mmCIF file of all heavy atoms in Angstrom:
data_model
loop_
_atom_site.group_PDB
_atom_site.id
_atom_site.type_symbol
_atom_site.label_atom_id
_atom_site.label_comp_id
_atom_site.label_asym_id
_atom_site.label_seq_id
_atom_site.Cartn_x
_atom_site.Cartn_y
_atom_site.Cartn_z
ATOM 1 N N LEU A 58 -210.944 -6.540 113.922
ATOM 2 C CA LEU A 58 -211.789 -5.857 114.955
ATOM 3 C C LEU A 58 -212.707 -4.892 114.272
ATOM 4 O O LEU A 58 -213.950 -4.885 114.629
ATOM 5 C CB LEU A 58 -210.832 -5.074 115.862
ATOM 6 C CG LEU A 58 -211.590 -4.234 117.018
ATOM 7 C CD1 LEU A 58 -212.473 -5.049 117.824
ATOM 8 C CD2 LEU A 58 -210.606 -3.475 117.797
ATOM 9 N N ALA A 59 -212.323 -4.128 113.328
ATOM 10 C CA ALA A 59 -213.225 -3.233 112.648
ATOM 11 C C ALA A 59 -214.354 -3.949 111.939
ATOM 12 O O ALA A 59 -215.546 -3.443 111.971
ATOM 13 C CB ALA A 59 -212.358 -2.441 111.651
ATOM 14 N N ARG A 60 -214.012 -5.039 111.259
ATOM 15 C CA ARG A 60 -215.103 -5.745 110.636
ATOM 16 C C ARG A 60 -216.057 -6.317 111.623
ATOM 17 O O ARG A 60 -217.235 -6.407 111.412
ATOM 18 C CB ARG A 60 -214.464 -6.984 109.956
ATOM 19 C CG ARG A 60 -213.888 -6.553 108.558
ATOM 20 C CD ARG A 60 -213.303 -7.925 107.950
ATOM 21 N NE ARG A 60 -213.146 -7.818 106.516
ATOM 22 C CZ ARG A 60 -212.283 -7.111 105.841
ATOM 23 N NH1 ARG A 60 -211.441 -6.330 106.477
ATOM 24 N NH2 ARG A 60 -212.236 -7.070 104.548
ATOM 25 N N LEU A 61 -215.527 -6.751 112.790
ATOM 26 C CA LEU A 61 -216.416 -7.273 113.831
ATOM 27 C C LEU A 61 -217.340 -6.130 114.328
ATOM 28 O O LEU A 61 -218.572 -6.458 114.585
ATOM 29 C CB LEU A 61 -215.667 -7.826 115.066
ATOM 30 C CG LEU A 61 -214.907 -9.092 114.767
ATOM 31 C CD1 LEU A 61 -214.016 -9.443 115.930
ATOM 32 C CD2 LEU A 61 -215.874 -10.322 114.508
ATOM 33 N N LEU A 62 -216.889 -4.938 114.417
ATOM 34 C CA LEU A 62 -217.611 -3.865 115.003
ATOM 35 C C LEU A 62 -218.845 -3.534 114.147
ATOM 36 O O LEU A 62 -219.866 -3.052 114.600
ATOM 37 C CB LEU A 62 -216.807 -2.640 115.135
ATOM 38 C CG LEU A 62 -215.769 -2.609 116.253
ATOM 39 C CD1 LEU A 62 -214.946 -1.354 116.342
ATOM 40 C CD2 LEU A 62 -216.459 -2.890 117.602
ATOM 41 N N VAL A 63 -218.752 -3.846 112.831
ATOM 42 C CA VAL A 63 -219.990 -3.590 111.945
ATOM 43 C C VAL A 63 -220.478 -4.923 111.537
ATOM 44 O O VAL A 63 -221.396 -4.999 110.596
ATOM 45 C CB VAL A 63 -219.637 -2.716 110.775
ATOM 46 C CG1 VAL A 63 -219.379 -1.328 111.207
ATOM 47 C CG2 VAL A 63 -218.496 -3.284 109.975
ATOM 48 N N ARG A 64 -220.098 -5.961 112.114
ATOM 49 C CA ARG A 64 -220.515 -7.406 111.766
ATOM 50 C C ARG A 64 -220.450 -7.651 110.306
ATOM 51 O O ARG A 64 -221.437 -8.111 109.664
ATOM 52 C CB ARG A 64 -221.957 -7.534 112.238
ATOM 53 C CG ARG A 64 -222.142 -9.103 112.441
ATOM 54 C CD ARG A 64 -223.435 -9.381 113.058
ATOM 55 N NE ARG A 64 -223.913 -10.707 112.717
ATOM 56 C CZ ARG A 64 -225.194 -11.023 112.580
ATOM 57 N NH1 ARG A 64 -226.140 -10.119 112.786
ATOM 58 N NH2 ARG A 64 -225.571 -12.289 112.280
ATOM 59 N N LEU A 65 -219.295 -7.343 109.714
ATOM 60 C CA LEU A 65 -219.105 -7.892 108.432
ATOM 61 C C LEU A 65 -218.617 -9.301 108.456
ATOM 62 O O LEU A 65 -218.712 -10.076 107.564
ATOM 63 C CB LEU A 65 -218.061 -7.090 107.671
ATOM 64 C CG LEU A 65 -218.504 -5.752 107.096
ATOM 65 C CD1 LEU A 65 -217.419 -4.916 106.545
ATOM 66 C CD2 LEU A 65 -219.541 -6.075 105.937
ATOM 67 N N ILE A 66 -218.047 -9.640 109.639
ATOM 68 C CA ILE A 66 -217.761 -11.016 109.936
ATOM 69 C C ILE A 66 -218.361 -11.335 111.290
ATOM 70 O O ILE A 66 -218.642 -10.389 112.120
ATOM 71 C CB ILE A 66 -216.267 -11.341 109.955
ATOM 72 C CG1 ILE A 66 -215.522 -10.439 110.796
ATOM 73 C CG2 ILE A 66 -215.781 -11.451 108.525
ATOM 74 C CD1 ILE A 66 -214.083 -10.845 110.917
ATOM 75 N N ASP A 67 -218.709 -12.587 111.564
ATOM 76 C CA ASP A 67 -219.324 -12.790 112.895
ATOM 77 C C ASP A 67 -218.254 -13.123 113.856
ATOM 78 O O ASP A 67 -217.252 -13.762 113.599
ATOM 79 C CB ASP A 67 -220.243 -14.050 112.765
ATOM 80 C CG ASP A 67 -221.499 -13.745 111.916
ATOM 81 O OD1 ASP A 67 -221.989 -12.669 112.012
ATOM 82 O OD2 ASP A 67 -221.969 -14.559 111.107
ATOM 83 N N PRO A 68 -218.442 -12.588 115.097
ATOM 84 C CA PRO A 68 -217.492 -12.936 116.143
ATOM 85 C C PRO A 68 -217.529 -14.401 116.632
ATOM 86 O O PRO A 68 -218.571 -15.078 116.517
ATOM 87 C CB PRO A 68 -217.915 -11.998 117.371
ATOM 88 C CG PRO A 68 -219.373 -11.683 117.046
ATOM 89 C CD PRO A 68 -219.587 -11.820 115.619
ATOM 90 N N SER A 69 -216.450 -14.872 117.034
ATOM 91 C CA SER A 69 -216.414 -16.238 117.695
ATOM 92 C C SER A 69 -217.095 -16.142 119.082
ATOM 93 O O SER A 69 -217.791 -17.087 119.458
ATOM 94 C CB SER A 69 -215.140 -16.782 117.825
ATOM 95 O OG SER A 69 -214.240 -16.614 116.658
ATOM 96 N N GLU A 70 -216.870 -15.014 119.673
ATOM 97 C CA GLU A 70 -217.428 -14.839 121.067
ATOM 98 C C GLU A 70 -217.585 -13.347 121.256
ATOM 99 O O GLU A 70 -216.943 -12.562 120.545
ATOM 100 C CB GLU A 70 -216.433 -15.315 122.114
ATOM 101 C CG GLU A 70 -216.698 -16.719 122.549
ATOM 102 C CD GLU A 70 -215.491 -17.112 123.610
ATOM 103 O OE1 GLU A 70 -215.379 -16.340 124.614
ATOM 104 O OE2 GLU A 70 -214.789 -18.065 123.352
ATOM 105 N N GLY A 71 -218.458 -13.004 122.226
ATOM 106 C CA GLY A 71 -218.551 -11.532 122.551
ATOM 107 C C GLY A 71 -219.782 -10.937 121.856
ATOM 108 O O GLY A 71 -220.405 -11.545 120.990
ATOM 109 N N SER A 72 -219.984 -9.651 122.146
ATOM 110 C CA SER A 72 -221.033 -8.876 121.622
ATOM 111 C C SER A 72 -220.663 -7.503 121.233
ATOM 112 O O SER A 72 -219.702 -6.945 121.723
ATOM 113 C CB SER A 72 -222.227 -8.938 122.533
ATOM 114 O OG SER A 72 -221.798 -8.453 123.783
ATOM 115 N N VAL A 73 -221.399 -6.922 120.298
ATOM 116 C CA VAL A 73 -221.212 -5.574 119.992
ATOM 117 C C VAL A 73 -222.600 -4.843 120.005
ATOM 118 O O VAL A 73 -223.531 -5.293 119.535
ATOM 119 C CB VAL A 73 -220.764 -5.484 118.403
ATOM 120 C CG1 VAL A 73 -220.678 -3.984 118.069
ATOM 121 C CG2 VAL A 73 -219.417 -6.189 118.271
ATOM 122 N N TRP A 74 -222.533 -3.733 120.776
ATOM 123 C CA TRP A 74 -223.762 -3.045 121.054
ATOM 124 C C TRP A 74 -223.738 -1.740 120.297
ATOM 125 O O TRP A 74 -222.839 -0.953 120.515
ATOM 126 C CB TRP A 74 -223.970 -2.805 122.562
ATOM 127 C CG TRP A 74 -224.148 -4.048 123.286
ATOM 128 C CD1 TRP A 74 -223.072 -4.902 123.779
ATOM 129 C CD2 TRP A 74 -225.290 -4.786 123.713
ATOM 130 N NE1 TRP A 74 -223.498 -5.973 124.376
ATOM 131 C CE2 TRP A 74 -224.889 -5.947 124.336
ATOM 132 C CE3 TRP A 74 -226.649 -4.527 123.513
ATOM 133 C CZ2 TRP A 74 -225.858 -6.885 124.818
ATOM 134 C CZ3 TRP A 74 -227.596 -5.408 123.939
ATOM 135 C CH2 TRP A 74 -227.214 -6.580 124.682
ATOM 136 N N TYR A 75 -224.824 -1.525 119.588
ATOM 137 C CA TYR A 75 -224.973 -0.273 118.869
ATOM 138 C C TYR A 75 -226.347 0.182 119.184
ATOM 139 O O TYR A 75 -227.384 -0.589 118.942
ATOM 140 C CB TYR A 75 -224.814 -0.327 117.454
ATOM 141 C CG TYR A 75 -225.103 0.922 116.653
ATOM 142 C CD1 TYR A 75 -224.170 2.076 116.730
ATOM 143 C CD2 TYR A 75 -226.297 1.044 115.986
ATOM 144 C CE1 TYR A 75 -224.509 3.230 116.127
ATOM 145 C CE2 TYR A 75 -226.616 2.240 115.311
ATOM 146 C CZ TYR A 75 -225.772 3.360 115.398
ATOM 147 O OH TYR A 75 -226.118 4.549 114.684
ATOM 148 N N ASP A 76 -226.517 1.363 119.733
ATOM 149 C CA ASP A 76 -227.833 1.899 119.858
ATOM 150 C C ASP A 76 -228.785 0.946 120.713
ATOM 151 O O ASP A 76 -229.898 0.689 120.365
ATOM 152 C CB ASP A 76 -228.482 2.056 118.403
ATOM 153 C CG ASP A 76 -229.322 3.388 118.340
ATOM 154 O OD1 ASP A 76 -229.138 4.209 119.364
ATOM 155 O OD2 ASP A 76 -230.032 3.491 117.422
ATOM 156 N N GLY A 77 -228.190 0.356 121.652
ATOM 157 C CA GLY A 77 -228.903 -0.462 122.489
ATOM 158 C C GLY A 77 -229.189 -1.880 122.033
ATOM 159 O O GLY A 77 -229.858 -2.630 122.730
ATOM 160 N N ALA A 78 -228.764 -2.235 120.837
ATOM 161 C CA ALA A 78 -229.008 -3.563 120.376
ATOM 162 C C ALA A 78 -227.713 -4.257 120.128
ATOM 163 O O ALA A 78 -226.713 -3.636 119.769
ATOM 164 C CB ALA A 78 -229.782 -3.475 119.094
ATOM 165 N N ASP A 79 -227.670 -5.599 120.351
ATOM 166 C CA ASP A 79 -226.490 -6.410 120.141
ATOM 167 C C ASP A 79 -226.429 -6.668 118.652
ATOM 168 O O ASP A 79 -227.285 -7.554 118.153
ATOM 169 C CB ASP A 79 -226.519 -7.608 121.019
ATOM 170 C CG ASP A 79 -225.279 -8.473 120.653
ATOM 171 O OD1 ASP A 79 -224.444 -8.026 119.883
ATOM 172 O OD2 ASP A 79 -225.102 -9.531 121.356
ATOM 173 N N ILE A 80 -225.659 -6.039 117.837
ATOM 174 C CA ILE A 80 -225.680 -6.244 116.403
ATOM 175 C C ILE A 80 -225.234 -7.673 116.022
ATOM 176 O O ILE A 80 -225.397 -8.092 114.886
ATOM 177 C CB ILE A 80 -224.973 -5.249 115.645
ATOM 178 C CG1 ILE A 80 -223.471 -5.124 115.998
ATOM 179 C CG2 ILE A 80 -225.611 -3.883 115.736
ATOM 180 C CD1 ILE A 80 -222.724 -4.141 115.079
ATOM 181 N N ALA A 81 -224.536 -8.387 116.987
ATOM 182 C CA ALA A 81 -224.140 -9.680 116.728
ATOM 183 C C ALA A 81 -225.344 -10.607 116.633
ATOM 184 O O ALA A 81 -225.292 -11.750 116.177
ATOM 185 C CB ALA A 81 -223.098 -10.190 117.685
ATOM 186 N N GLN A 82 -226.451 -10.186 117.188
ATOM 187 C CA GLN A 82 -227.573 -11.019 117.214
ATOM 188 C C GLN A 82 -228.762 -10.517 116.277
ATOM 189 O O GLN A 82 -229.764 -11.120 116.210
ATOM 190 C CB GLN A 82 -228.238 -11.001 118.596
ATOM 191 C CG GLN A 82 -227.265 -11.367 119.763
ATOM 192 C CD GLN A 82 -226.787 -12.806 119.576
ATOM 193 O OE1 GLN A 82 -227.511 -13.630 119.104
ATOM 194 N NE2 GLN A 82 -225.472 -13.058 119.995
ATOM 195 N N LEU A 83 -228.506 -9.365 115.645
ATOM 196 C CA LEU A 83 -229.456 -8.805 114.855
ATOM 197 C C LEU A 83 -229.881 -9.573 113.636
ATOM 198 O O LEU A 83 -229.052 -10.208 113.045
ATOM 199 C CB LEU A 83 -228.925 -7.382 114.348
ATOM 200 C CG LEU A 83 -229.901 -6.167 114.568
ATOM 201 C CD1 LEU A 83 -230.362 -6.087 116.002
ATOM 202 C CD2 LEU A 83 -229.008 -4.967 114.280
ATOM 203 N N PRO A 84 -231.240 -9.665 113.272
ATOM 204 C CA PRO A 84 -231.647 -10.402 112.079
ATOM 205 C C PRO A 84 -231.098 -9.560 110.854
ATOM 206 O O PRO A 84 -230.990 -8.415 110.998
ATOM 207 C CB PRO A 84 -233.096 -10.360 112.196
ATOM 208 C CG PRO A 84 -233.511 -9.214 113.054
ATOM 209 C CD PRO A 84 -232.415 -9.141 114.076
ATOM 210 N N PRO A 85 -230.918 -10.264 109.702
ATOM 211 C CA PRO A 85 -230.316 -9.642 108.587
ATOM 212 C C PRO A 85 -230.939 -8.309 108.170
ATOM 213 O O PRO A 85 -230.304 -7.427 107.816
ATOM 214 C CB PRO A 85 -230.456 -10.718 107.531
ATOM 215 C CG PRO A 85 -230.673 -11.986 108.248
ATOM 216 C CD PRO A 85 -231.242 -11.668 109.532
ATOM 217 N N GLU A 86 -232.319 -8.363 108.205
ATOM 218 C CA GLU A 86 -233.083 -7.191 107.717
ATOM 219 C C GLU A 86 -232.685 -5.971 108.507
ATOM 220 O O GLU A 86 -232.337 -4.851 108.014
ATOM 221 C CB GLU A 86 -234.570 -7.377 107.811
ATOM 222 C CG GLU A 86 -235.109 -8.216 106.677
ATOM 223 C CD GLU A 86 -234.633 -7.728 105.341
ATOM 224 O OE1 GLU A 86 -234.746 -6.497 105.032
ATOM 225 O OE2 GLU A 86 -234.165 -8.502 104.497
ATOM 226 N N ALA A 87 -232.762 -6.086 109.811
ATOM 227 C CA ALA A 87 -232.458 -5.010 110.709
ATOM 228 C C ALA A 87 -231.015 -4.548 110.599
ATOM 229 O O ALA A 87 -230.757 -3.342 110.549
ATOM 230 C CB ALA A 87 -232.729 -5.329 112.145
ATOM 231 N N LEU A 88 -230.157 -5.509 110.372
ATOM 232 C CA LEU A 88 -228.769 -5.221 110.249
ATOM 233 C C LEU A 88 -228.605 -4.348 108.974
ATOM 234 O O LEU A 88 -227.819 -3.337 109.032
ATOM 235 C CB LEU A 88 -227.959 -6.481 110.081
ATOM 236 C CG LEU A 88 -226.463 -6.378 110.144
ATOM 237 C CD1 LEU A 88 -225.967 -5.816 111.539
ATOM 238 C CD2 LEU A 88 -225.765 -7.743 109.902
ATOM 239 N N ARG A 89 -229.236 -4.701 107.965
ATOM 240 C CA ARG A 89 -229.126 -4.029 106.703
ATOM 241 C C ARG A 89 -229.496 -2.570 106.913
ATOM 242 O O ARG A 89 -228.955 -1.652 106.393
ATOM 243 C CB ARG A 89 -229.885 -4.697 105.590
ATOM 244 C CG ARG A 89 -229.119 -4.837 104.276
ATOM 245 C CD ARG A 89 -229.784 -5.573 103.266
ATOM 246 N NE ARG A 89 -230.165 -6.939 103.596
ATOM 247 C CZ ARG A 89 -231.301 -7.486 103.269
ATOM 248 N NH1 ARG A 89 -232.182 -6.842 102.608
ATOM 249 N NH2 ARG A 89 -231.537 -8.700 103.670
ATOM 250 N N ALA A 90 -230.712 -2.375 107.500
ATOM 251 C CA ALA A 90 -231.191 -1.008 107.736
ATOM 252 C C ALA A 90 -230.138 -0.201 108.578
ATOM 253 O O ALA A 90 -229.931 0.988 108.304
ATOM 254 C CB ALA A 90 -232.520 -1.116 108.504
ATOM 255 N N LEU A 91 -229.514 -0.852 109.465
ATOM 256 C CA LEU A 91 -228.541 -0.223 110.266
ATOM 257 C C LEU A 91 -227.386 0.278 109.635
ATOM 258 O O LEU A 91 -226.684 1.175 109.970
ATOM 259 C CB LEU A 91 -228.116 -1.324 111.353
ATOM 260 C CG LEU A 91 -227.439 -0.789 112.636
ATOM 261 C CD1 LEU A 91 -228.604 -0.301 113.556
ATOM 262 C CD2 LEU A 91 -226.730 -1.883 113.266
ATOM 263 N N ARG A 92 -227.028 -0.320 108.456
ATOM 264 C CA ARG A 92 -225.876 0.001 107.682
ATOM 265 C C ARG A 92 -225.946 1.419 107.185
ATOM 266 O O ARG A 92 -224.800 1.959 106.812
ATOM 267 C CB ARG A 92 -225.686 -0.903 106.483
ATOM 268 C CG ARG A 92 -225.575 -2.389 106.935
ATOM 269 C CD ARG A 92 -224.280 -2.928 106.598
ATOM 270 N NE ARG A 92 -224.147 -4.392 106.817
ATOM 271 C CZ ARG A 92 -223.428 -4.930 107.741
ATOM 272 N NH1 ARG A 92 -222.721 -4.105 108.571
ATOM 273 N NH2 ARG A 92 -223.432 -6.263 107.949
ATOM 274 N N SER A 93 -227.035 2.024 107.124
ATOM 275 C CA SER A 93 -227.039 3.497 106.634
ATOM 276 C C SER A 93 -226.368 4.327 107.767
ATOM 277 O O SER A 93 -225.857 5.421 107.461
ATOM 278 C CB SER A 93 -228.369 3.931 106.203
ATOM 279 O OG SER A 93 -229.102 4.285 107.439
ATOM 280 N N ASP A 94 -226.524 3.843 109.004
ATOM 281 C CA ASP A 94 -225.917 4.551 110.086
ATOM 282 C C ASP A 94 -224.467 4.263 110.323
ATOM 283 O O ASP A 94 -223.618 4.958 110.880
ATOM 284 C CB ASP A 94 -226.647 4.193 111.365
ATOM 285 C CG ASP A 94 -227.991 4.893 111.494
ATOM 286 O OD1 ASP A 94 -228.267 5.645 110.477
ATOM 287 O OD2 ASP A 94 -228.699 4.619 112.439
#
Side-chain angles (χ1 to χ4, degrees):
Chain A
L58 174 60
R60 280 177 155 76
L61 287 171
L62 287 179
V63 291
R64 202 174 156 211
L65 280 173
I66 51 178
D67 290 322
S69 316
E70 263 177 60
S72 52
V73 178
W74 297 84
Y75 172 76
D76 219 12
D79 181 0
I80 60 176
Q82 306 297 328
L83 230 47
E86 280 310 312
L88 188 65
R89 226 179 297 144
L91 200 78
R92 299 243 186 250
S93 81
D94 285 356

